[in-house]
């Protein structure tokens, strides 16, 4: 199996964006989640949203993805909207930042198909963190489920303990917990585990390369294309 990992600006590739949205919604529905701010598709009109896509090179199916969404006055971050009614402190917390200074990595999903080849959510997380220096951000935010919290911490995220209940909220519905996270040192990743930091720095250095990964279903060839494209308009 051959998979291309590439970055697109959402408004520049409408077909890929629609495939990503469809796949994300199907994954959410499989967990019984029908209302979630990260599933709101208004972000598709934001010129400062970049999609990370795991794409089959045989039939161009989107097998997984995530998005880096930069914050502007007209486009608040999904986690900002999600917890504003729960904890209004989020407004003050973000008030110091100007447009395009912070972003959120959100909307991550991957199919069981790629997970069977050893390409789980950690790959999406690594790639998202790896491309951040290209965007000149001061901080990255995220919301994590209990299942992915340890993965998030391993790449350098820290809990925003002053928000919610020591950083946690009931979201996207009662009974499900999400934790608000941030990375303050995007270039250094001083809080990341050594192995994860090394892997991410290697991605940053190589940008475009091929590699082979293996899992229970066999081997998968990965073609990384991690240069963020310049806007078409």
């Amino acid at each position: 199996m051959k998979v291309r990992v590439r970055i697109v600006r959402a408004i520049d590739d409408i077909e890929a964006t629609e495939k990503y949205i469809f796949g994300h919604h199907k994954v959410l529905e499989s967990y019984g989640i029908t209302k979630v701010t990260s599933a709101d598709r208004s972000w598709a009109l934001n010129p400062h949203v970049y999609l990370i896509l795991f794409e089959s090179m045989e039939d161009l199916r989107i097998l997984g993805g995530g998005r880096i969404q930069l914050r502007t006055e007209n486009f608040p971050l999904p986690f900002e909207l999600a917890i504003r009614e729960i904890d209004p402190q989020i407004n003050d917390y973000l008030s110091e930042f100007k447009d395009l200074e912070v972003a959120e990595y959100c909307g991550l999903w991957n199919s069981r198909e790629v997970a069977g080849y050893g390409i789980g959510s950690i790959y999406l997380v690594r790639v998202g963190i790896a491309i951040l220096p290209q965007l000149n951000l001061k901080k990255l935010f995220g919301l994590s489920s209990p299942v992915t919290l340890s993965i998030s911490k391993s790449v350098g995220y820290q809990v925003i303990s002053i928000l919610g209940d020591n950083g946690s909220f009931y979201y996207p519905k009662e009974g499900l917990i999400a934790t608000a996270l941030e990375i303050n040192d995007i270039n250094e990743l001083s809080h990341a585990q050594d192995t994860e930091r090394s892997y991410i720095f290697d991605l940053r250095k190589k940008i475009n390369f091929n590699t082979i990964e293996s899992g229970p279903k066999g081997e998968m060839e990965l073609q990384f294309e991690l240069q963020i494209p310049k806007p078409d308009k």
Side-chain angles (χ1 to χ4, degrees):
M1 188 173 187
K2 297 182 179 180
V3 172
R4 177 170 65 164
V5 183
R6 67 182 179 116
I7 317 299
V8 303
R9 192 169 72 135
I11 66 170
D12 289 339
D13 195 329
I14 295 174
E15 182 178 359
T17 297
E18 290 297 325
K19 289 180 180 179
Y20 162 83
I21 291 172
F22 178 80
H24 188 207
H25 284 186
K26 294 296 287 185
V27 169
L28 290 174
E29 288 172 2
S30 72
Y31 287 97
I33 299 170
T34 56
K35 294 182 67 176
V36 55
T37 55
S38 64
D40 178 355
R41 58 179 299 144
S42 62
W43 57 263
L45 302 175
N46 184 347
H48 304 290
V49 169
Y50 299 91
L51 299 180
I52 297 162
L53 303 176
F54 280 48
E55 182 180 63
S56 168
M57 295 180 70
E58 280 88 6
D59 54 17
L60 301 183
R61 284 177 301 133
I62 304 299
L63 303 171
R67 69 181 190 267
I68 304 291
Q69 183 165 330
L70 278 68
R71 183 177 186 262
T72 66
E73 182 179 356
N74 294 326
F75 290 99
L77 299 176
F79 102 108
E80 176 182 359
L81 296 174
I83 67 178
R84 182 175 286 164
E85 294 183 4
I86 305 171
D87 189 347
Q89 284 190 85
I90 188 65
N91 297 320
D92 291 335
Y93 195 76
L94 293 172
S95 63
E96 66 180 278
F97 299 107
K98 299 177 182 178
D99 283 2
L100 307 180
E101 288 187 340
V102 297
E104 179 179 354
Y105 191 16
C106 52
L108 279 73
W109 64 273
N110 64 274
S111 68
R112 290 187 176 91
E113 185 174 357
V114 290
Y117 286 91
I119 310 301
S121 57
I122 184 61
Y123 270 82
L124 278 169
V125 175
R126 289 167 173 166
V127 172
I129 305 304
I131 68 171
L132 293 177
Q134 299 181 54
L135 296 171
N136 298 312
L137 299 171
K138 291 186 175 181
K139 187 175 291 200
L140 180 75
F141 295 104
L143 277 178
S144 174
S145 70
V147 174
T148 58
L149 186 57
S150 61
I151 290 176
S152 299
K153 288 181 176 180
S154 74
V155 299
Y157 278 107
Q158 294 179 285
V159 175
I160 310 175
S161 57
I162 67 170
L163 297 177
D165 181 9
N166 200 32
S168 296
F169 307 83
Y170 283 116
Y171 177 82
K173 63 181 182 179
E174 189 72 23
L176 295 180
I177 296 175
T179 302
L181 305 171
E182 64 184 2
I183 296 179
N184 295 303
D185 56 347
I186 286 169
N187 292 327
E188 295 80 17
L189 300 178
S190 61
H191 296 281
Q193 294 177 1
D194 289 344
T195 53
E196 292 299 334
R197 186 188 304 108
S198 296
Y199 192 99
I200 291 167
F201 283 4
D202 195 46
L203 291 178
R204 291 178 178 179
K205 180 180 179 181
K206 291 179 178 177
I207 298 294
N208 298 314
F209 67 101
N210 288 15
T211 188
I212 302 291
E213 296 291 344
S214 60
K217 289 187 176 181
E219 290 189 340
M220 174 182 287
E221 180 181 341
L222 287 172
Q223 178 177 311
F224 286 96
E225 301 174 7
L226 304 186
Q227 183 67 48
I228 293 178
K230 294 181 179 180
D232 292 343
K233 54 186 175 180

